[in-house]
Amino acid sequence: MKKQLFSAFTLALLLGNGLTSAQEISKRLEDKNGQPYFIQFSENSVDKRSVDDQKLLKDVLGLREGSEMKKIETGKLFSKFSDDKYQLYYQNIKVEFATYSLHYTDGKLTSMSGEMYNTEDLDTTTKISEATALNKAVKGLGVEKLMEGTDEVRGTSYSNPKGELVFLPVLMDDDSYRLVLAYKFDIYSELPLKRSHMYIDANTG
């Protein structure tokens, strides 16, 4: 992956108390598609309690209209390090693998990193039904019998797995990515015995 290093610039962060503080970015790395995968802040970082995380993510990542970062995880890594992890959604549809984490040291924002995709001009219209997509997924996996009735899946209706509508990044010939609207299925099968995640294009099947 080609890396690009940009000179430091200043980002205005709207703090929780309504004040504005200048937050300097000392390093910004982008992938070949122009999406930032690492942001490092200067040593004069703001306190976690003062960070407006939604504004920060929107401004730094350049989120498009209709895009939203939802917090999915907050956890302490070590005694003085902690991360807040966010998932990208477009029109309330998850963008697979597009997650970003804010990194804190001693309660101060130090950096952020993750994987992003361009959500411009995405279409949320589907042309095939979930049931049709499931049939294609089962056939594509060579499933003869879905798992049902075992302790592991009892009560989960695994004779009819539910499809989650997502945007799936698909690698193109020029190494760029295109987001494809797809049904995602988590499929247990008894014959053959396996568990698989399967994506079916929601427009072409």
Side-chain angles (χ1 to χ4, degrees), residues 162-179:
K162 297 294 294 181
E164 177 188 7
L165 202 58
V166 301
F167 282 106
L168 178 68
V170 176
L171 183 63
M172 309 303 288
D173 291 338
D174 61 358
D175 289 336
S176 65
Y177 282 89
R178 180 171 67 93
L179 293 180

Side-chain angles (χ1 to χ4, degrees), residues 1-7 9 25-40 60-61 100 112-116:
M1 178 180 293
K2 183 179 179 181
K3 298 182 180 180
Q4 300 177 7
L5 177 61
F6 292 78
S7 58
F9 62 94
I25 294 177
S26 59
K27 183 183 292 186
R28 177 186 176 95
L29 301 179
E30 296 184 352
D31 61 26
K32 66 186 307 176
N33 295 302
Q35 298 299 316
Y37 63 88
F38 179 76
I39 304 290
Q40 182 174 305
V60 176
L61 300 178
Y100 231 87
M112 54 191 288
S113 62
E115 190 168 351
M116 289 298 297

Side-chain angles (χ1 to χ4, degrees), residues 94-157:
K94 182 193 296 184
V95 180
E96 284 285 87
F97 314 121
T99 61
Y100 231 87
S101 295
L102 302 184
H103 308 297
Y104 297 90
T105 302
D106 289 328
K108 301 289 185 179
L109 178 64
T110 55
S111 63
M112 54 191 288
S113 62
E115 190 168 351
M116 289 298 297
Y117 297 95
N118 186 359
T119 57
E120 187 176 14
D121 298 328
L122 292 181
D123 189 357
T124 60
T125 304
T126 62
K127 293 183 179 179
I128 67 172
S129 68
E130 179 185 337
T132 298
L134 176 58
N135 288 335
K136 289 180 176 292
V138 170
K139 183 177 179 180
L141 289 171
V143 172
E144 297 181 30
K145 184 179 180 182
L146 290 169
M147 185 74 73
E148 54 185 326
T150 65
D151 290 339
E152 189 171 10
V153 299
R154 182 175 289 117
T156 62
S157 301

